[in-house]
Amino acid sequence: QSSEHNILVIGVPNVGKSSLINSLRRLHLKKGKATAVGGEPGVTKAVLSRIQVCEKPLMYLVDTPGVLPPRLGDVETGMKLALCGAIRDHLVGEDVMADYLLYTLNKQQQFRYVQRYGLGQACDHIEPLLKHVALTQGRTQKVKVLTGTGNVNMMMLNYPAAACEFLRDFRAGRLGRVTLD
């Protein structure tokens, strides 16, 4: 008599549910990817069909989109989830997230960002940090300025791109190993 196991894989967005399924499939069946993975939430959009991950015992996993409670308990929980990539950045705002990240790094005395971006010392305000990120990472944009004598093209620092770079560096571990809880 053969028994078959069906297991539903659930969790918050962007924690590696699809990666787990693919790894188990590779390990036990020596087969390639069965489900798409990505670095941001929302790659898995619907509950997919069963994916075989093992022969003996016969085991199937079902991938699901990430789930979150309909309402988060507080703003800080939402910010932590956003910094981890469980909520799409643009829904919260990269500038707000960057500000909260700077606050968190300073609170935990994680000052690796000071050296990474060539700051003289730790800073409490996000604007000077983003200015240094934009300068060191070359985050600029060409802007047309209307003057009394005509149009002038100017290079300006791209603060939104700098905020995204700051978040990317954090998520890649380039600002140190930081625990948000």
Side-chain angles (χ1 to χ4, degrees), residues 32-93:
K33 277 204 244 184
T35 182
V37 296
E40 77 259 356
V43 172
T44 304
K45 301 214 183 299
V47 175
L48 302 173
S49 57
R50 300 181 315 158
I51 301 165
Q52 185 180 353
V53 293
C54 193
E55 192 68 49
K56 288 183 181 176
L58 186 55
M59 189 178 302
Y60 296 93
L61 297 184
V62 179
D63 200 2
T64 62
V67 292
L68 286 171
R71 282 200 173 84
L72 299 173
D74 58 278
V75 172
E76 194 162 13
T77 300
M79 292 302 292
K80 289 175 182 177
L81 285 167
L83 284 177
C84 291
I87 299 170
R88 290 186 183 269
D89 292 353
H90 71 274
L91 296 176
V92 176

Side-chain angles (χ1 to χ4, degrees), residues 67-176:
V67 292
L68 286 171
R71 282 200 173 84
L72 299 173
D74 58 278
V75 172
E76 194 162 13
T77 300
M79 292 302 292
K80 289 175 182 177
L81 285 167
L83 284 177
C84 291
I87 299 170
R88 290 186 183 269
D89 292 353
H90 71 274
L91 296 176
V92 176
E94 290 88 347
D95 54 338
V96 175
M97 291 170 60
D99 196 23
Y100 180 75
L101 175 57
L102 177 62
Y103 161 77
T104 302
L105 293 172
N106 286 336
K107 187 170 134 185
Q108 295 185 16
Q109 298 188 6
Q110 296 271 354
F111 301 119
R112 202 188 247 170
Y113 71 88
V114 174
Q115 178 186 0
R116 176 150 183 88
Y117 303 123
L119 297 165
Q121 60 188 26
C123 58
D124 289 331
H125 299 287
I126 194 64
E127 291 81 10
L129 172 70
L130 292 182
K131 181 178 181 179
H132 275 274
V133 172
L135 287 169
T136 59
Q137 306 293 321
R139 301 296 177 189
T140 58
Q141 60 188 0
K142 195 184 289 188
V143 179
K144 192 176 284 192
V145 179
L146 303 175
T147 66
T149 58
N151 297 346
V152 178
N153 286 325
M154 291 180 60
M155 291 304 282
M156 294 188 62
L157 297 177
N158 188 337
Y159 285 89
C164 290
E165 187 72 27
F166 184 44
L167 295 172
R168 252 192 310 276
D169 282 347
F170 166 71
R171 290 173 178 154
R174 292 187 283 266
L175 303 179

